[in-house]
Amino acid sequence: DIAARAVGVSKIYGTGESQTRALDNIDLDIEAGSLTAIMGPSGSGKSTLMHVFAGLDSPTHGRISIGDTDITDLDDNALTLLRRRSLGFVFQAFNLVPTLSVMSNVTLPFELDGRRPSALELAWVRELLGRLGIGMLESRRPHELSGGQQQRVAIARALAMRPQLVFADEPTGNLDSKSSREVLGLLRDLTREYQQTVVLVTHDPVAASHADRVIFIADGSIAHDVRSVDLGAEP
Ligand code: ADP
Ligand code: ADP
């Protein structure tokens, strides 16, 4: 199964002299249940690629599908619904609500969907907090947490509704190496246990080493596309 597909996708910012081709004719299939890392220098187009996949930005040329749905021509309302129901996001700025407890921040996606989490869903949220090592922090507020703890709260929120596809921008950017391994291990376990699909942008080779596939972007194009069989191969 294909979780997300880009066909002939280009993204051009600006016009005339000040034009930037952030993505140049990208063809890419992300398999369901995979953990894919996107790497590349600053300005190479990684964020733009994630944004067009998530329907946060529309491609200048080409088409994007999420699951079986071609999202290229969907209007903003349809895209918002799709994001709420099917996608999870971990941003570099954690976007936690300062007045809400950790638990309320993590269950916010349910509120935004206009409902309360069921008992099963709450049990899942508690399991997630436990697996992320922040179970004891559920009634704290964000300002009472370290950067790494806040990052793990943001990750728990992205996973709370078990979205089929999760996008994470530098999810280990604020974590020490032990916490990084735990977070990456969890993301990988979720792809195995629930066929969840995770796409992360990272500069961290340790994070990339947990991936099934590493895609290197340079100047808006795919420069290398390496599967874990190759990544794990020892001479
Ligand atoms: P990365 O995430 O790899 O650092 P980006 O996708 O952010 O790269 O940027 C790719 C290119 O597109 C860069 O040249 C950047 O300056 C340009 N760019 C990104 N967003 C915009 C924007 N909103 N307007 C104009 N140019 C942009
Ligand atoms: P709403 O109008 O209800 O806020 P949005 O479309 O803004 O709905 O948000 C849907 C999801 O997309 C949310 O998870 C939100 O955090 C994320 N999102 C919206 N806009 C952006 C953006 N410009 N950059 C990154 N994420 C965004």
Side-chain angles (χ1 to χ4, degrees):
D1 286 12
I2 301 301
R5 165 172 284 167
V7 181
V9 165
S10 297
K11 177 68 185 182
I12 298 164
Y13 288 112
T15 50
E17 301 272 299
S18 62
Q19 186 165 300
T20 304
R21 186 175 288 264
L23 296 176
D24 188 9
N25 198 21
I26 298 262
D27 289 314
L28 179 59
D29 281 351
I30 305 287
E31 287 98 12
S34 64
L35 175 60
T36 299
I38 299 177
M39 300 188 83
S42 181
S44 57
K46 304 180 298 294
S47 305
T48 303
L49 181 61
M50 237 183 14
H51 283 174
V52 299
F53 263 130
L56 295 168
D57 211 344
S58 53
T60 312
H61 304 290
R63 305 206 73 83
I64 299 284
S65 308
I66 298 293
D68 296 329
T69 308
D70 185 325
I71 68 164
T72 320
D73 299 323
L74 292 185
D75 63 25
D76 285 347
N77 287 335
L79 284 173
T80 298
L81 261 186
L82 175 105
R83 280 197 292 272
R84 280 193 197 146
R85 297 267 163 82
S86 311
L87 307 182
F89 297 93
V90 182
F91 298 114
Q92 285 192 42
F94 313 129
N95 299 335
L96 300 179
V97 181
T99 53
L100 295 180
S101 69
V102 164
M103 191 54 161
S104 300
N105 266 285
V106 173
T107 53
L108 204 55
F110 298 97
E111 308 287 335
L112 291 175
D113 198 37
R115 65 196 184 85
R116 304 204 157 249
S118 69
L120 261 177
E121 286 168 330
L122 269 183
W124 165 244
V125 165
R126 293 219 155 84
E127 183 186 330
L128 264 180
L129 294 177
R131 285 168 77 164
L132 286 162
I134 50 173
M136 63 302 187
L137 303 175
E138 60 172 74
S139 43
R140 302 271 189 94
R141 287 176 210 277
H143 72 266
E144 299 174 289
L145 308 180
S146 71
Q149 290 169 335
Q150 292 182 33
Q151 186 154 33
R152 282 176 279 170
V153 175
I155 291 167
R157 184 178 55 190
L159 299 172
M161 284 183 77
R162 295 199 192 193
Q164 60 189 62
L165 180 53
V166 178
F167 294 100
D169 197 354
E170 294 283 359
T172 58
N174 286 280
L175 302 180
D176 57 39
S177 58
K178 178 168 172 284
S179 305
S180 291
R181 278 197 302 277
E182 282 168 8
V183 164
L184 268 305
L186 173 69
L187 291 174
R188 196 174 53 180
D189 290 348
L190 294 175
T191 63
R192 302 287 185 275
E193 289 169 38
Y194 303 110
Q195 279 284 299
Q196 213 161 20
T197 308
V198 178
V199 177
L200 56 92
V201 166
T202 188
H203 285 99
D204 177 4
V206 175
S209 71
H210 285 77
D212 300 306
R213 181 181 184 189
V214 183
I215 293 168
F216 295 89
I217 305 282
D219 289 333
S221 299
I222 296 175
H224 303 282
D225 185 347
V226 187
R227 308 274 175 166
S228 61
V229 228
D230 312 315
L231 291 168
E234 296 291 335

